[in-house]
Amino acid sequence: MREEHLTRLSFRDPLKVLMVKESRTCKGCVHEHRERAFGQDVVVCTRMDADGRQRKHGRRCKDYKEN
């Protein structure tokens, strides 16, 4: 079913396709932090979970806020 969804999605307006893909990511969040380490860009989330561990970057969470 996932492949069917992607196929149907790919025949839409390219802007709508991009908006749907980015609506699931952390891109543009105020908690996103980018550094350069060992010659590569590293992106992390600066928010902490309830147990004090740093959140994983990549999926949009409930604390997402735009810049």
Side-chain angles (χ1 to χ4, degrees), residues 1-12 17:
M1 179 165 162
R2 180 127 173 110
E3 292 174 351
E4 292 174 6
H5 175 70
L6 291 175
T7 305
R8 282 184 282 134
L9 182 65
S10 63
F11 289 109
R12 287 186 181 174
V17 172

Side-chain angles (χ1 to χ4, degrees), residues 15-33:
L15 178 61
K16 288 183 182 179
V17 172
L18 181 65
M19 288 173 59
V20 168
K21 286 182 181 179
E22 284 194 0
S23 69
R24 297 182 208 132
T25 66
C26 299
K27 189 170 180 121
C29 182
V30 295
H31 305 294
E32 181 180 57
H33 182 71

Side-chain angles (χ1 to χ4, degrees), residues 32-48:
E32 181 180 57
H33 182 71
R34 186 177 313 265
E35 286 290 330
R36 189 144 184 98
F38 303 109
Q40 291 186 341
D41 287 334
V42 178
V43 183
V44 296
C45 182
T46 57
R47 292 292 293 180
M48 298 289 179

Side-chain angles (χ1 to χ4, degrees), residues 49-67:
D49 283 334
D51 58 356
R53 293 188 302 182
Q54 195 170 12
R55 291 195 174 163
K56 293 184 179 178
H57 179 266
R59 283 194 188 164
R60 189 173 287 194
C61 65
K62 61 182 172 67
D63 294 327
Y64 176 84
K65 294 179 186 160
E66 290 186 14
N67 291 339

